[in-house]
Amino acid sequence: ISDGAGGVFVGWNDNRNGSPNPIFDPDGFDLYGQHVLANGTVDPRWPPDGLPVCNAPGAQYHFDMATDGQGGAFFFWQDHRATRQVFGQRILADGTIAPGWVAQGRPLSTTPNGKFITRAIPDGQGGFYGTWEQNNATNGAGEIYAQHVRGDGAIALGWPMEGLPLAAASNIHYSHAHSVSMDGAGGAFVAFEAATKVSNLVHVHRIANDGPVPTRAALIDAVVQDDGEVVLRWHSTE
């Protein structure tokens, strides 16, 4: 992905610390990154053979990357240090971990349901949206989940800690493929294939810029304006 200054961040899965035959040592895969400057040389602040973004025990793979809009990069991946979970990391242009993030990445969904096929897209505000496919706990059918992560590593206000289910119908199995793109207004579009007993369908879901934020409120009024917008006014303890 672009670093915003004519250079590029590159990420890859690396078996340098595993068995010579990765087929028999799938847990040997780690996640590495590199920063290449606009002139084609490796950023001297980064290790010449790549920066270990995450080399924790267990495999780290099926990753994606997104720009942070400030010269750095987000990494978002499937992690096998326990069950198949999803983790994220933010690396600055100089190869250091961004404030608020931790070594080996921050867990962004840790339920025991298997998670795979991660995608990441910038939110345009210094954070990112991460999406993944997840096995249903009851029947194993695939589901689509999303998470909104701020630039400091915290979950965006109003978003569930384990991710927001976008498509979790129990009678539909989602294929191992989905894509995500920015909507130009701080949100994202997620497209995916859904297989029913009759046919395969293509769906799209729009993620709003911010999720629902619960609050104890006393409604004063609700007015529909001429342009179709609804204005709510209320009293609140906050």
Side-chain angles (χ1 to χ4, degrees):
I1 60 170
S2 171
D3 67 356
V8 64
F9 291 104
V10 182
W12 68 90
N13 293 123
D14 198 302
N15 195 49
R16 69 181 66 177
N17 296 318
S19 166
N21 189 338
I23 295 177
F24 298 104
D25 184 27
D27 288 342
F29 282 104
D30 298 317
L31 178 57
Y32 277 72
Q34 185 60 275
H35 186 201
V36 181
L37 302 178
N39 62 6
T41 62
V42 171
D43 189 330
R45 299 170 294 181
W46 288 56
D49 287 323
L51 176 77
V53 176
C54 183
N55 56 3
Q60 291 83 38
Y61 55 119
H62 288 315
F63 74 95
D64 201 9
M65 304 165 63
T67 176
D68 67 359
Q70 302 176 35
F74 292 107
F75 291 78
F76 183 57
W77 68 90
Q78 173 186 326
D79 196 291
H80 283 225
R81 69 187 74 180
T83 56
R84 285 187 292 182
Q85 303 172 344
V86 287
F87 276 65
Q89 183 63 281
R90 182 184 177 191
I91 304 293
L92 302 180
D94 62 1
T96 60
I97 297 174
W101 296 78
V102 296
Q104 306 296 0
R106 181 177 295 281
L108 299 177
S109 180
T110 59
T111 59
N113 311 62
K115 301 169 180 62
F116 45 95
I117 315 298
T118 53
R119 301 282 187 266
I121 198 77
D123 68 357
Q125 303 177 69
F128 78 99
Y129 293 102
T131 62
W132 65 91
E133 299 184 28
Q134 177 171 312
N135 290 333
N136 182 283
T138 302
N139 59 13
E143 302 175 334
I144 309 293
Y145 274 71
Q147 187 60 277
H148 189 190
V149 186
R150 303 188 325 199
D152 61 1
I155 303 300
L157 187 64
W159 282 70
M161 295 303 296
E162 297 296 341
L164 179 70
L166 302 182
S170 60
N171 62 337
I172 296 178
H173 182 79
Y174 301 94
S175 67
H176 292 184
H178 73 280
S179 61
V180 58
S181 62
M182 300 175 68
D183 70 353
F189 291 108
V190 182
F192 54 93
E193 177 185 355
T196 69
K197 294 181 179 180
V198 179
S199 62
N200 288 9
L201 306 174
V202 176
H203 295 249
V204 64
H205 192 104
R206 185 182 182 191
I207 304 172
N209 181 25
D210 52 358
V213 180
T215 182
R216 186 182 300 276
L219 187 66
I220 298 175
D221 59 26
V223 179
V224 180
Q225 299 179 333
D226 293 338
D227 59 2
E229 291 188 351
V230 177
V231 177
L232 303 177
R233 294 195 305 148
W234 65 85
H235 287 300
S236 174
T237 56
E238 302 181 0

